[in-house]
Amino acid sequence: MNRSVYVAGMGSTAFGKHAGTSIEALAVDASAQALVDAGIDRTRIGAVYLGNFISGPLNGKEVLAGLVAEQLGLQGIPCTKVEGACASGGIALRHACLMVAAGIHDAVLVVGVETMTHASTPEVTSALNCAMDNEYDGLSGLTFPGLFGLAWRAHAQRYGTSREDVAAVVIKNKAFGLNNPLAQMGAALTIDQIAVSAMIADPLQLFDCCPPSDGAAAVVVCTKDLLSDLPNHPRIRVMASVQTSGSARIAQHPDLCSFDATVLAAQQAYQQSGLQPADIDLVELHDCFSIAEIIDSEDLGLVPRGEGGRWAAQGRTGMHGDVVINPSGGLLAKGHPVGATGVGQIVEVVSQLRGVHPNQVDQAGIGMTHNLGGTGVACTVHILGREA
Amino acid sequence: MNRSVYVAGMGSTAFGKHAGTSIEALAVDASAQALVDAGIDRTRIGAVYLGNFISGPLNGKEVLAGLVAEQLGLQGIPCTKVEGACASGGIALRHACLMVAAGIHDAVLVVGVETMTHASTPEVTSALNCAMDNEYDGLSGLTFPGLFGLAWRAHAQRYGTSREDVAAVVIKNKAFGLNNPLAQMGAALTIDQIAVSAMIADPLQLFDCCPPSDGAAAVVVCTKDLLSDLPNHPRIRVMASVQTSGSARIAQHPDLCSFDATVLAAQQAYQQSGLQPADIDLVELHDCFSIAEIIDSEDLGLVPRGEGGRWAAQGRTGMHGDVVINPSGGLLAKGHPVGATGVGQIVEVVSQLRGVHPNQVDQAGIGMTHNLGGTGVACTVHILGREA
């Protein structure tokens, strides 16, 4: 990347149920917050990238980037929806960063949005399955809980990961969520409560699964020059912005305990930023299921391979651990409005790096986000750093 | 744009009915043709951009960019679906061009794809309406034929455009389509046949409307350096690549006889290329309805305002006219597999500039494409030129 890219503003709706609010209205709300937070004149926004996954099937609405821009009074500029299943938000951010870095635009608005809670469970399940290779894997009848249930079994067999280890992730993230006003399902849970909750896809139980959500999150990214004209927030620089792909076919994964796309994205992100895993103070990663946090933490190189469960159980991924994982509450507690999630992670990290997060990590200087689509078919990793 | 961008290869399925062929298979077919035509080793492809509009609602499939890349054996690279209604294909091409121009990748695969003919007419109509602002315009009950019917009435009232003028567009494009093996609905039509065809949305009749289609088209774009390693096709350079937005709300359009997004995109494309309308030898523009060709030709500056109908009737937009419009047969004769259309236009223009088109325009040196989404909410314009 040629020019440095900074996050100048951020905004988010709460994640949760927003019955009666249109998907455009949620996106406009988060976007307007981000524009105000950035203190930027709307005429300086050169493009809009909108991350969304299933507004077509669930809302009968596409071309959302243009609809949202129009309501924001942004006229004539390129407005693009990008889609990569659950990684849609991260992909939107990456494109905004590329446009600024390459000198094509000086400031770009990024917004991620999804609404799901208005639809029935079978409708939502069907729509989410748009992220799988149904021609190839459909016959197996696996939905996403099925896949991650298999992954858990494989991880348990190979590394000895126990129900208690996995529950430690749930307890941590649900507790973080209690303090986060953007989170929809924070809770003070015990291992016993988790262990008696409904079975979803053995061994995944109810509290191991993120809830369906409505929500939107937005950020404004811009050049260093433009940033100097804006309100005096701490300077948050995008140190790495990476997008990769992996197999969409479950049977093609050489290892159910790892996602190739994450491993590759992490390698590229460390290389791009010149950082190492030990430099990362906190990470917002894609815990769509509890076991996913364990696998992701290993794939990102933050935790030794096979140790993700034990590190969680020993508190090494908690607030005073070696690396703080999902201090927002993660997808498990915040919820997972699919297209919004990757941008919401950025909002959480920026909040940490500004030192204003409700679950503030001490001395947070470097934060990472990780957004994984489908069965690992798309992945984004971003690293953000606070400049003095 | 910093680095020059060239179209190194192209491929397309026929547009039409492809019953029993999956949307991924169509995209893979066109992409594989483009890769072979480019003669490029697949390991040199740095990213995939896939244009698609309504695979979610009509096929229950998203994350197509990753699915298609996997089947092509492209591993690990960023794969992004972009969506901007009927302009999705043009938006995919623009992003590929930006990535090459900015030095992010040396070669990028672009593919546009859609399947529609498997779905019922009400399903297709509903899905197409995803491109409108249904919160705002839904109450009016307008579908796209309704909008373009209104536009025709406005154009007729203001400029005196007649049924005969508009029929001249249909007769021309249907005749071009007869020679084009990629076109699904070429025909030798008379004004009488058009005038007695079924009324769709008064004054639009059956032959004034493009048919629903399945199909895919693909191109490979790359740097000049990389091109020199590839087979010795004529050098086709992307001289302008522009994306704009306009109002999605019909009642917000100041003028039904013009689309702001097209006017702005054309201005920017002429500026970017240093060319003028008189330099354009041929154009593939977005004739989703016959009247749209007339409006688009005026918005692009190729025909004087209000004269689009008369120019068509006088043969000034035909094979030996002032500017050749839609020598492929356009959407009216080729069909309109929505996400594929913008890329298909590029395939047609490249074919012209290589001198191998079934309706070859004499001395074709400069070609333009124009792709318009929804009610003018998204627009792309590209200008391609053959280098000596």
Side-chain angles (χ1 to χ4, degrees), chain A residues 238-281:
Chain A
V238 181
M239 303 178 71
S241 178
V242 171
Q243 179 185 351
T244 59
S245 59
S247 178
R249 298 175 171 179
I250 297 170
Q252 297 288 107
H253 284 260
D255 183 354
L256 276 174
C257 297
S258 174
F259 292 99
D260 292 351
T262 300
V263 172
L264 182 62
Q267 285 169 353
Q268 292 181 11
Y270 291 126
Q271 188 171 28
Q272 213 175 81
S273 62
L275 297 171
Q276 298 184 334
D279 298 318
I280 307 297
D281 297 314

Side-chain angles (χ1 to χ4, degrees), chain B residues 3-9 35 38-46 100 105-108 220-232 235:
Chain B
R3 305 197 295 184
S4 294
V5 181
Y6 293 80
V7 181
L35 291 164
I40 196 169
D41 191 288
R42 294 181 187 206
T43 59
R44 302 186 80 165
I45 300 293
V100 173
H105 304 294
D106 292 335
V108 177
V220 174
V221 297
C222 70
T223 60
K224 190 169 193 172
D225 279 356
L226 203 159
L227 196 72
S228 63
D229 296 345
L230 302 179
N232 196 20
R235 291 186 167 185

